[in-house]
Amino acid sequence: MAKATDLDGRVLLDHGTGAALSQELVRLIADTLGEAYVGEMEDSATLTVPGNRIAMTTDSFVVDPPFFGNGDIGKIAVCGTVNDLAVSGATPMYLTLGLILETGLPIKWLVRALESIRDTAIEAGVLIVGGDTKVVRAGEADGLYVNTAGIGAFRRDPLRMDAVQPGDSVILSGHIGNHTVHLLSIREGLGFEQRVLSDCAPLNGLIDDVFAKAPAGSVRSMRDVTRGGLSAVLHEYATRLCRVVTVDLPALPIQTETAMAADMLGINPLHCANEGCLALFVSPAAEADVLTALRNHPYGVNAAVIGTVTDRPGTDVLLRDGDGRESVLEELVGAELPRLC
């Protein structure tokens, strides 16, 4: 019978029984995670968190394909949870890691995902403090599913949507649509995947740089632009604030190849999923400071001011073209695209 440490082997149903093969699989996971894992092997982790307020979030990841040009499901799992904590104003500290493995999954694929989890956790400065592994029968899990939960500590006041004010600027930290186009190009054989890479990245370091540069209180709120794309974020804010949000179409940071691929596929980049892009709502006086901080970081070089929260009552998101004409950006009712994160 193949052992979990046999990199040429595959996941077996017996790897999920809790017996000897399960222990081998857990050791493989722990050894691969290395310094990113605290290694206590207790039923729960004992954690130290500064202050008296924490942020907590969880997410599950079912990416197809699970491995792509410059990332994989493991990298996305860490980035997604780290970014959710960071945009709330918290400092990400700890993650848990849940794995659902399908019988027959190549062990080397599992190790590849674990190596990405390790490397991304180290980059983000977070520790993996606990986890769980389940094995299901062939056909029940599409290879590999990942769940991560995260805890962060507030060293500054939490960010909230209600803090956004009429007149505030909307800033994007980088290109939109690249993650969606990259994965769809791989699926459909479009040939764009070498020129359009996924933006998947942990953004807590970028966010720290913004807070270090911007005047206190000038960054009102922020969101990571993931499922539903920029459109979903802007509609969420417009609805919450009961204020019309306007977007200048010429200002949107969209890579040329991404626009070409989106046009070919008949999709709108504003609805596309991203995995390393921030939408920031900041006071107009802080625009220059925030842009400088973003553009000085590797993950923010394409940052741009793209719109404004107006004082006009309503819940519309309006797109303004180069001639000043406005049109309504319709909110999607369902899924325009397959799930990509």
Side-chain angles (χ1 to χ4, degrees):
M1 182 175 290
K3 291 187 176 182
T5 51
D6 179 4
L7 297 184
D8 293 324
R10 292 179 179 271
V11 171
L12 306 173
L13 203 56
D14 283 343
H15 282 130
T17 62
L21 278 181
S22 291
Q23 298 308 310
E24 289 184 12
L25 183 63
V26 170
R27 283 195 294 272
L28 173 68
I29 292 169
D31 289 346
T32 306
L33 292 176
E35 63 183 286
Y37 172 57
V38 296
E40 293 181 349
M41 291 294 183
E42 300 287 351
D43 279 349
S44 65
T46 301
L47 309 177
T48 300
V49 179
N52 59 3
R53 288 188 297 183
I54 66 170
M56 185 171 182
T57 189
T58 187
D59 207 346
S60 299
F61 300 86
V62 289
V63 183
D64 180 24
F67 302 95
F68 46 90
N70 59 318
D72 54 53
I73 190 171
K75 182 177 182 181
I76 287 179
V78 175
C79 291
T81 300
V82 164
N83 294 346
D84 280 349
L85 293 170
V87 297
S88 73
T91 299
M93 299 183 67
Y94 304 116
L95 299 182
T96 63
L97 177 64
L99 302 172
I100 298 178
L101 311 176
E102 184 180 9
T103 301
L105 177 74
I107 295 294
K108 60 185 177 183
W109 288 14
L110 172 60
V111 171
R112 180 177 169 185
L114 291 168
E115 289 172 343
S116 286
I117 289 168
R118 176 197 65 208
D119 295 344
T120 310
I122 291 171
E123 179 184 354
V126 297
L127 288 172
I128 297 166
V129 298
D132 181 61
T133 303
K134 293 291 186 293
V135 180
V136 298
R137 289 183 292 270
E140 294 183 347
D142 200 22
L144 169 64
Y145 295 159
V146 181
N147 172 272
T148 46
I151 292 176
F154 284 106
R155 295 189 171 100
R156 58 179 73 94
D157 289 336
L159 300 181
R160 292 290 181 262
M161 285 195 290
D162 292 336
V164 177
Q165 301 174 18
D168 282 348
S169 300
V170 185
I171 298 177
L172 276 185
S173 66
H175 289 141
I176 56 171
N178 284 18
H179 178 72
T180 291
V181 166
H182 180 75
L183 267 65
L184 285 181
S185 182
I186 295 173
R187 287 187 191 180
E188 305 299 330
L190 301 180
F192 286 99
E193 62 268 20
Q194 299 301 319
R195 290 172 289 170
V196 180
L197 298 176
S198 169
D199 62 343
C200 182
L203 300 176
N204 52 322
L206 173 65
I207 291 170
D208 285 342
D209 287 357
V210 168
F211 278 113
K213 182 74 174 178
S218 61
V219 178
R220 320 283 199 197
S221 184
M222 63 178 76
R223 280 287 188 277
D224 53 334
V225 186
T226 53
R227 277 184 298 151
L230 178 62
S231 173
V233 170
L234 296 179
H235 278 102
E236 180 183 12
Y237 276 80
T239 300
R240 178 67 170 267
L241 301 169
C242 294
R243 290 289 183 271
V244 172
V245 177
T246 61
V247 174
D248 295 317
L249 282 172
L252 287 172
I254 302 175
Q255 190 176 327
T256 301
E257 292 86 350
T258 300
M260 291 171 55
D263 185 63
M264 180 185 299
L265 292 163
I267 59 177
N268 187 340
L270 280 86
H271 296 309
C272 289
N274 309 274
E275 283 296 335
C277 181
L278 295 174
L280 304 96
F281 297 78
V282 305
S283 67
E287 270 188 17
D289 289 331
V290 171
L291 282 175
T292 297
L294 291 170
R295 291 171 177 170
N296 284 339
H297 192 282
Y299 296 144
V301 293
N302 296 300
V305 178
I306 59 104
T308 305
V309 178
T310 75
D311 60 0
R312 295 156 59 181
T315 59
D316 285 336
V317 176
L318 300 180
L319 305 178
R320 182 182 295 121
D321 65 18
D323 295 323
R325 293 186 295 263
E326 292 183 343
S327 60
V328 176
L329 175 63
E330 298 292 345
E331 186 174 13
L332 290 181
V333 175
E336 180 186 53
L337 297 164
R339 186 182 177 95
L340 297 167
C341 53

